[in-house]
Amino acid sequence: MSRIYFVVFIVSIYLIIDVYVFIALRSITEGMNPVWRRATLIGYWVISLVSLTGVLLYRQIDPKQLGNLRLYITTFFFVLFIGKLFSTVFLMLEDIRRGVTWLVNLFPFVEEKHSTSRSDFMHKSALIAGAIPVATMSFGIISGAHDYRVRKRVVHSPNLPKAFDGIRIAQISDIHTGSFFNKTAVAGGVDLLNEQKPDLAFFTGDLVNNKSEEAKDYLDIFKKVGAPLGVFSVMGNHDYGDYSSWASPAAKQKDIQNIHEMHGYMGYDLLLNENRTLKVDGEEIAILGCENWGTGRFAKYGDLSKTIQGTEEQAYKILLSHDPSHWDAQIKPEHKDIDLTLSGHTHGMQFGVEIGNFRWSPVQYRYKQWADLYQEGNQSLYVNRGYGFIGYPGRIGILPEITILELKRS
């Protein structure tokens, strides 16, 4: 029953916002041809109610058969709602001004009375304010979702063996196959990665959103990621099925096992709190793979002590750990012998501004290290912005990334 009350409450808020925007739309269409005006006003309600109905029926849509339809419904609803919300905030600010003016006009000593009615200018401004985020988010879906960018950085370390000086590493993260809607574009990103001819490749977690079945149609695409020294991977927080309902704990564990096997099918050496030794010309470095570990509400499956076991004598260590909050929480204070950590997880919130060396995203208020290269002493952290997306099926400003790191001995 509480769920019904919640749904009724949300729908009521949605309809109130709809009415608010409709009043502005009705005002600015007064001068239109009557037929076109009627079509515009009726069309507004048809689109709005169809969108709302789709969201209310979301759970009845089979994700296996109509997964893309679920994505389109939620995206359409979300984009429209954000636009209407912007318009409503604009109109409410104007109504606050009108309310203050009305109160001032009540005082007898006010000789010149001011109008308390909304102007057509304010109605038009409110609708424009709503149209801007709708247009921006639509562009972020059409253009930004698969606008893969290769970001190249050089990482220096005095501990790097000479045989590995100049080695090129490719990193991708946060694939989130359950959100994809364009296989051709996804495959194009993998081709772009391979064109960089990396010596070594890493995937730092989140193959799926919720369940292993999401990845089936994309395994042969990501199987093409190749590097002569190997492709290594770890699990991300979404790969453990923690955000889904399961018939039993055994069913959940079976799905996790499916994901493990998918990494193997793609040719990725999945590291589950373990490590590998990489040898070139008689010299070695250690590749460490820690299961997901992050601060806050995220489950901690990682065991860093177990992960590094047996690598104490290695001169240079690369750690794959999905969540960058791990760096400040455990890696820096407790394991200063880990030279380079590679993470993802934040997606750069899929929204922000990047101009030259200037970067800003709301996610930086949650994660101190949220994108690009961070260095402290002889330790470095690189946070990949993510290959895919989740929730909003697009990116605005913070574009999907293929990282190429060149290791240099300093």
Side-chain angles (χ1 to χ4, degrees), residues 116-352:
T116 59
S117 62
R118 276 208 208 114
S119 66
D120 282 346
F121 172 77
M122 294 308 301
H123 285 144
K124 291 176 182 177
S125 298
L127 294 180
I128 291 172
I132 290 173
V134 169
T136 302
M137 287 189 291
S138 298
F139 181 78
I141 296 169
I142 297 169
S143 177
H146 300 290
D147 188 6
Y148 301 106
R149 298 298 174 94
V150 176
R151 294 187 178 273
K152 298 181 179 181
R153 296 290 182 268
V154 178
V155 182
H156 297 271
S157 173
N159 300 324
L160 186 70
K162 289 182 179 179
F164 291 87
D165 190 15
I167 192 173
R168 286 164 53 83
I169 295 172
Q171 180 199 3
I172 56 173
S173 191
D174 301 88
I175 291 174
H176 289 287
T177 50
S179 297
F180 286 146
F181 56 86
N182 187 335
K183 289 181 73 173
T184 301
V186 172
V190 172
D191 291 341
L192 180 60
L193 183 156
N194 288 328
E195 287 172 9
Q196 310 310 309
K197 301 187 183 306
D199 302 298
L200 184 61
F202 296 124
F203 167 52
T204 47
D206 279 358
L207 178 64
V208 300
N209 294 345
N210 297 298
K211 296 184 177 182
S212 62
E213 62 189 29
E214 301 166 5
K216 290 179 180 178
D217 291 340
Y218 291 90
L219 295 179
D220 287 333
I221 291 176
F222 288 100
K223 187 178 182 179
K224 295 178 181 178
V225 173
L229 294 180
V231 182
F232 299 87
S233 60
V234 291
M235 300 275 279
N237 58 296
H238 281 267
D239 294 325
Y240 296 92
D242 290 336
Y243 311 121
S244 295
S245 298
W246 299 94
S248 66
K252 179 181 178 181
Q253 289 304 313
K254 173 59 177 172
D255 201 70
I256 294 174
Q257 184 60 38
N258 289 344
I259 290 180
H260 291 177
E261 293 171 1
M262 286 175 171
H263 282 251
Y265 174 82
M266 293 186 294
Y268 298 4
D269 187 352
L270 178 62
L271 303 179
L272 302 171
N273 293 327
E274 53 190 331
N275 59 75
R276 302 285 186 267
T277 298
L278 209 59
K279 193 169 185 177
V280 173
D281 295 338
E283 295 188 295
E284 298 177 343
I285 64 173
I287 308 298
L288 318 175
C290 190
E291 294 201 56
N292 191 73
W293 194 103
T295 59
R297 62 185 177 86
F298 296 105
K300 296 174 174 58
Y301 296 96
D303 185 336
L304 197 50
S305 297
K306 182 180 177 182
T307 302
I308 67 172
Q309 191 172 352
T311 66
E312 292 80 8
E313 302 303 318
Q314 293 287 1
Y316 190 85
K317 302 179 181 66
I318 300 174
L319 171 67
L320 312 184
S321 182
H322 178 71
D323 191 323
S325 65
H326 199 183
W327 200 53
D328 274 339
Q330 285 191 337
I331 298 164
K332 282 198 305 176
E334 301 174 21
H335 300 277
K336 295 188 180 299
D337 58 336
I338 293 177
D339 301 273
L340 173 61
T341 301
L342 302 179
S343 300
H345 182 62
T346 73
H347 299 211
M349 205 174 172
Q350 298 167 212
F351 172 80

